[in-house]
Amino acid sequence: MTKPKRLVLVLQDLLYGGTQRHALELARRIDRSRFAPEFWMLCAGGDFAPQAREANIPMRWISDKRTVTFSAIRELRRAIASERPDILMPLTAVPNIWARIFGRLHKTPCIVATCRGGGNIKRQHERFLAGLAHHHIANTQALKNALVTLGRPDGHVTVIPNGVDTDLFSPDPDGMRPWRKVILCVARFVPDKDHQTLVRAFDLAFAKVPDAELWLVGDGPLKARVEFGLRRLACENRVRIFPGGPDLLPFYRQASVLALSSLREGLPNVVLEGMACGVPVAATAVGGIPEVVEEGRTGFLSPASDPQALAASFVRLLADDDLQERMAGEARAVALEKYSMAAMVARHEELLARACGAGLASGL
């Protein structure tokens, strides 16, 4: 019997976040007779550790510091040199930089880089480091196009959209629709998510829909700044902020609209989760969002940094119950048809099997 290939997914941390959730779902669903997944983290943060432990996914913290240090980078090199994984799959920017460099230096048989966010082309120094990976996985066609524009051969980049657990993320089983006009945003408080535009848009919409509410779910370095900015707005008392957590389903099932005001994106998991729960989307037309949200069918798109346009999307959805219900059904149907978790995992298995069998360096 062939021994499973050792698949090391290198992450910055296991804090709550879309990439970490994606890694967890991939690792716990992948065929263990073919691949043996494990997590290596460059710094502290273990929000998803209980779920990983329950799924029997080995975890290794390269460092216990809160940020990536020079010592952690040095230890990553030692781990790659001594452990000799069959496949290295780095996720997020810093792991994609150093795991590729050290993987090549120590002749890792297969290095599959990932590009999952709108700013990752620059952050991961793809212009200079793309060739160190045997292959790339991008979660949107837009990111693939950007890599090809930089000179990466088309055949060396595979688009695998994120998957969503449509059994877990589903509408209320009793058929209950939200009775409150909740606009929900699930996103870390970081610059790319541009919460300032979202809050300004809600303030404008609030003037026309005074019974609307804005729920912000997440953590991050800009949280205090957003809270401070709310104090000067008329809508302050209609905004609620919740910490991030592993169980987002109750939030989706109470939402009338899923909002995202990002400046840059890959393919946000929260959009897929919201759609699977039958929630129409009002989001910015950046990154892979227009590949998922169909204008006028499953939601409305607006330019980045345009609170007036985003507010108009909110008002259209909140003021028309029939439109909201029709879009809810379409959103659920699209999630079921195109973004199942099974399809996402199967495509990874197919790619990794080819990587181990023929060698991606030969031109897969």
PDB file of all heavy atoms in Angstrom, residues 180 213 351:
ATOM      1  N   ARG A 180     -35.840  41.230  11.425  1.00  0.00           N
ATOM      2  CA  ARG A 180     -35.186  42.522  11.606  1.00  0.00           C
ATOM      3  C   ARG A 180     -34.408  42.846  10.339  1.00  0.00           C
ATOM      4  O   ARG A 180     -34.031  41.948   9.593  1.00  0.00           O
ATOM      5  CB  ARG A 180     -34.243  42.473  12.805  1.00  0.00           C
ATOM      6  CG  ARG A 180     -34.926  42.118  14.079  1.00  0.00           C
ATOM      7  CD  ARG A 180     -33.983  41.604  15.140  1.00  0.00           C
ATOM      8  NE  ARG A 180     -33.200  42.654  15.751  1.00  0.00           N
ATOM      9  CZ  ARG A 180     -32.417  42.449  16.822  1.00  0.00           C
ATOM     10  NH1 ARG A 180     -32.344  41.248  17.353  1.00  0.00           N
ATOM     11  NH2 ARG A 180     -31.734  43.426  17.337  1.00  0.00           N
ATOM     12  N   GLU A 213     -30.328  47.847  10.978  1.00  0.00           N
ATOM     13  CA  GLU A 213     -29.232  47.636  11.932  1.00  0.00           C
ATOM     14  C   GLU A 213     -28.000  47.181  11.167  1.00  0.00           C
ATOM     15  O   GLU A 213     -28.114  46.498  10.141  1.00  0.00           O
ATOM     16  CB  GLU A 213     -29.589  46.560  12.962  1.00  0.00           C
ATOM     17  CG  GLU A 213     -30.826  46.859  13.786  1.00  0.00           C
ATOM     18  CD  GLU A 213     -31.164  45.694  14.715  1.00  0.00           C
ATOM     19  OE1 GLU A 213     -30.229  45.126  15.319  1.00  0.00           O
ATOM     20  OE2 GLU A 213     -32.354  45.359  14.829  1.00  0.00           O
ATOM     21  N   LEU A 351      -5.126  17.937  -8.270  1.00  0.00           N
ATOM     22  CA  LEU A 351      -3.893  18.680  -8.542  1.00  0.00           C
ATOM     23  C   LEU A 351      -2.705  18.099  -7.785  1.00  0.00           C
ATOM     24  O   LEU A 351      -1.621  17.891  -8.351  1.00  0.00           O
ATOM     25  CB  LEU A 351      -4.084  20.148  -8.168  1.00  0.00           C
ATOM     26  CG  LEU A 351      -2.832  21.025  -8.254  1.00  0.00           C
ATOM     27  CD1 LEU A 351      -2.294  21.090  -9.681  1.00  0.00           C
ATOM     28  CD2 LEU A 351      -3.094  22.421  -7.720  1.00  0.00           C
TER      29      LEU A 351
END
